[in-house]
């Protein structure tokens, strides 16, 4: 995961790296759908006595993909939450896209030192 601050927002990139992707491909090629959910939380570090109850959750967002395999035409389909569909004929390109979230934007208050914030 990496994050870049742009004004009052944070751009987040996440990439999951697995040792073996064969189970994902087998599931899809057997006719089932596969879904991945990315859950992002933006926190601000608390100081002093209030830090005993934990850091302050500022924003929580979820996004993800649904994917399936077209057995007849032999291609993978990746569908975003907004309904955009992308077709992949190559399994490696599909897997890279399925397990990656690029340039996802989180708004943050932009107050104080950026080092006081972190993302999980």
């Amino acid at each position: 995961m990496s994050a870049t601050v742009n004004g009052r927002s944070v751009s987040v990139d996440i990439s999951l790296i697995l040792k073996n992707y064969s189970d994902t491909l087998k599931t899809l090629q057997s006719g089932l759908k596969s879904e991945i959910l990315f859950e992002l939380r933006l926190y601000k570090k608390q100081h002093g006595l209030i830090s005993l109850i934990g850091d302050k959750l500022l924003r929580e967002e979820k996004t993800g993909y649904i994917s399936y395999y077209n057995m007849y035409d032999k291609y993978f389909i990746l569908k975003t939450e907004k309904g955009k569909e992308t077709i992949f004929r190559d399994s490696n390109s599909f897997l890279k896209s399925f397990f990656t979230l690029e340039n996802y934007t989180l708004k943050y208050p932009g107050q104080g030192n950026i080092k006081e914030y972190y993302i999980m």
Side-chain angles (χ1 to χ4, degrees):
M1 181 174 93
S2 66
T4 307
V5 178
N6 302 317
R8 289 185 167 246
S9 66
V10 179
S11 179
V12 180
D13 294 324
I14 299 171
S15 188
L16 302 173
I17 300 169
L18 304 177
K19 289 184 180 180
N20 186 349
Y21 295 97
S22 63
D23 288 342
T24 303
L25 292 176
K26 285 179 189 173
T27 298
L28 292 167
Q29 291 171 332
S30 70
L32 298 174
K33 289 184 178 184
S34 190
E35 182 175 5
I36 190 166
L37 180 67
F38 296 94
E39 188 172 333
L40 300 124
R41 294 185 185 123
L42 177 66
Y43 289 93
K44 183 175 185 200
K45 294 177 187 174
Q46 300 289 6
H47 300 284
L49 198 53
I50 199 163
S51 68
L52 295 174
I53 61 172
D55 293 335
K56 184 177 182 180
L57 176 63
L58 299 175
R59 180 168 301 286
E60 181 177 16
E61 294 186 20
K62 298 176 186 177
T63 189
Y65 307 124
I66 296 175
S67 63
Y68 53 97
Y69 184 69
N70 181 317
M71 289 188 224
Y72 304 107
D73 296 323
K74 305 214 184 284
Y75 59 80
F76 297 92
I77 298 171
L78 183 68
K79 186 175 183 178
T80 67
E81 285 186 340
K82 295 179 181 176
K84 179 185 174 199
E85 290 187 359
T86 306
I87 294 173
F88 297 89
R89 298 206 181 272
D90 173 55
S91 62
N92 289 331
S93 298
F94 162 74
L95 289 168
K96 183 177 184 237
S97 292
F98 184 67
F99 289 104
T100 301
L101 180 65
E102 290 182 331
N103 203 26
Y104 188 86
T105 301
L106 282 169
K107 300 281 185 207
Y108 84 103
Q111 300 167 347
N113 187 343
I114 189 63
K115 294 179 180 181
E116 297 290 312
Y117 299 88
Y118 65 94
I119 296 174
M120 290 181 64

